[in-house]
Amino acid sequence: MLETRLLPFDRDSANQAAEFLKYGEVVAIPTETVYGLAANALNENAVRKIFKAKGRPQDNPLIVHISSMKMLPPLVREVPELANRLAEQFWGGPLTMIFAKSNAVPNVTSGGLNTVAVRMPANEAAREIIKKCGFPLAAPSANISGKPSPTTARHVFEDLNGKIPLIIDGGDCEVGVESTVICFERGKIRILRPGAVTAEMLSEFAEVIVDKAAVEELRKGESALSPGMKYKHYSPKADVYIVNAHGEEFVRYCTKRARTENNVLALGAGVAENGIFLDYGENAQLQAQRLFSLLRKADELGAKTVLVELPDRSGMGLAVYNRLLRAAAFRVIEV
Ligand code: AMP
Ligand code: MG
């Protein structure tokens, strides 16, 4: 077992992270979305270590993180004009764009696809570490595959202690859910995974289509454009259910369930907290920030059933809904 060091982000720890990464090691780093498990995106052996540490399916491609626009052209065959305009507006930030990949990107990184997903994070620590490396970093969420994504360094430690040499602590993630993933289709933008860069924001630039797999369960045999969307995800040990009821009605329903069942926990938007209820925030930004952390807390509290109030699906709410659907294995209770 490796000794896993946990260091606050500063110049020294950034140098150590870059050293490990140059040697083909993996390091967990903060980003504004969730913590990432980083490795040299262009080094096959290094990237394999990410899949191994996370237990991630081989066909689930990784996002390649860059710290400046000049790192993009070597990774891709071409950059559509629309992508340049979006980069100008949303990079650094939580937007991932999919391009035709160049031969510089190994197949392990792209999960065998001939495309590559690229993002420039806003987070200072992430940017600094990429810059020190001088190569792009593949960095999926730094959790064990299937578990809720990590939004604090402690979450990463819980999952990956003994499996990776270093975790850089940059505090709580501002956004709390993973980046928006888009691809381009004849001048249109298709959202494969909703995030903090919303459909509404993107529609200022081009027509936007939200991919069906982002908001509905795929039927057997249907293939996902974004391989990650087909896996069960973000799940605590407890059974999660989305409850389509709000305010008083939500509270009444959950209270009734808790009276007849053991270890029921309810996440409500702006509810008063007590033994059963936890507040997951009154707006989508707060809900995104808290969701994964609350799902982990549910496990700590020994919850068997977690009932979550159906979030508003506009703006960033769509990202919250998308993650919740997967945590709940698409189960929605109509009250
Ligand atoms: P994660 O790294 O865990 O945030 O997951 C990355 C997400 O981006 C997954 O849902 C992947 O399926 C998706 N993704 C990465 N690369 C591609 C690609 N080339 N084409 C489509 N989806 C991708
Ligand atoms: Mg992930």
Side-chain angles (χ1 to χ4, degrees):
M1 201 154 113
L2 268 173
E3 192 207 338
T4 300
R5 302 188 64 194
L6 193 120
L7 300 174
F9 169 67
D10 59 21
R11 194 158 36 132
D12 255 17
S13 63
N15 281 332
Q16 285 190 46
E19 283 307 306
F20 273 120
L21 291 162
K22 283 176 192 166
Y23 279 110
E25 266 309 324
V26 293
V27 175
I29 62 170
T31 84
E32 69 276 22
T33 57
V34 302
Y35 274 74
L37 184 59
N40 181 348
L42 308 181
N43 175 337
E44 269 185 51
N45 284 326
V47 170
R48 284 210 177 87
K49 290 182 187 170
I50 296 180
F51 284 93
K52 183 156 175 254
K54 281 180 59 74
R56 183 175 173 105
Q58 299 283 339
D59 68 344
N60 194 0
L62 307 178
I63 295 171
V64 177
H65 295 67
I66 60 175
S67 59
S68 73
M69 271 321 263
K70 68 176 193 295
M71 292 175 89
L72 179 63
L75 302 173
V76 304
R77 289 205 185 285
E78 64 166 338
V79 180
E81 170 50 28
L82 178 56
N84 273 318
R85 288 196 286 131
L86 293 174
E88 209 164 289
Q89 178 72 21
F90 298 112
W91 280 3
L95 177 69
T96 296
M97 298 192 253
I98 293 175
F99 302 92
K101 90 172 184 70
S102 76
N103 292 330
V105 180
N107 285 324
V108 265
T109 303
S110 67
L113 300 174
N114 55 14
T115 52
V116 61
V118 185
R119 169 167 112 83
M120 190 193 293
N123 181 278
E124 187 204 343
R127 289 280 279 268
E128 189 61 29
I129 292 166
I130 301 167
K131 206 166 127 200
K132 281 185 195 288
C133 287
F135 46 75
L137 297 178
S141 48
N143 54 321
I144 297 290
S145 262
K147 293 239 296 176
S149 299
T151 56
T152 69
R154 185 177 65 87
H155 295 160
V156 180
F157 192 80
E158 283 165 8
D159 278 17
L160 299 178
N161 180 25
K163 295 188 168 173
I164 63 174
L166 179 61
I167 301 167
I168 301 294
D169 187 348
D172 294 2
C173 297
E174 276 161 55
V175 177
V177 293
E178 302 84 347
S179 59
T180 307
V181 177
I182 64 168
C183 64
F184 302 103
E185 261 179 29
R186 285 169 257 109
K188 293 181 190 165
I189 296 169
R190 179 179 289 274
I191 297 183
L192 301 177
R193 178 176 73 184
V197 173
T198 64
E200 290 83 348
M201 286 154 79
L202 291 166
S203 66
E204 303 273 317
F205 293 82
E207 190 183 322
V208 173
I209 306 155
V210 177
D211 197 64
K212 212 175 105 198
V215 284
E216 276 176 46
E217 186 169 19
L218 287 174
R219 278 182 305 235
K220 279 215 164 56
E222 264 185 313
S223 69
L225 284 173
S226 175
M229 285 290 112
K230 72 185 179 208
Y231 295 108
K232 183 169 181 214
H233 247 105
Y234 319 121
S235 310
K237 293 190 194 95
D239 282 324
V240 179
Y241 297 87
I242 298 173
V243 179
N244 186 9
H246 298 282
E248 281 301 304
E249 200 184 11
F250 175 74
V251 170
R252 245 192 333 268
Y253 175 80
C254 298
T255 309
K256 201 168 110 205
R257 289 274 306 253
R259 233 183 268 130
T260 52
E261 293 168 42
N262 289 329
N263 303 317
V264 173
L265 196 69
L267 309 184
V271 289
E273 300 205 341
N274 63 21
I276 303 165
F277 290 94
L278 290 175
D279 177 15
Y280 94 117
E282 274 172 275
N283 59 55
Q285 272 73 23
L286 287 176
Q287 292 170 356
Q289 268 172 9
R290 294 178 190 171
L291 179 66
F292 288 139
S293 184
L294 286 172
L295 292 178
R296 280 177 184 259
K297 190 163 175 185
D299 275 347
E300 279 167 28
L301 295 172
K304 260 187 73 192
T305 305
V306 180
L307 306 170
V308 190
E309 184 172 340
L310 177 73
D312 179 12
R313 276 164 281 182
S314 64
M316 215 182 147
L318 193 67
V320 176
Y321 179 63
N322 168 276
R323 304 311 186 275
L324 256 181
L325 269 181
R326 281 162 181 80
F330 297 93
R331 293 174 299 212
V332 182
I333 298 171
E334 298 296 335
V335 174

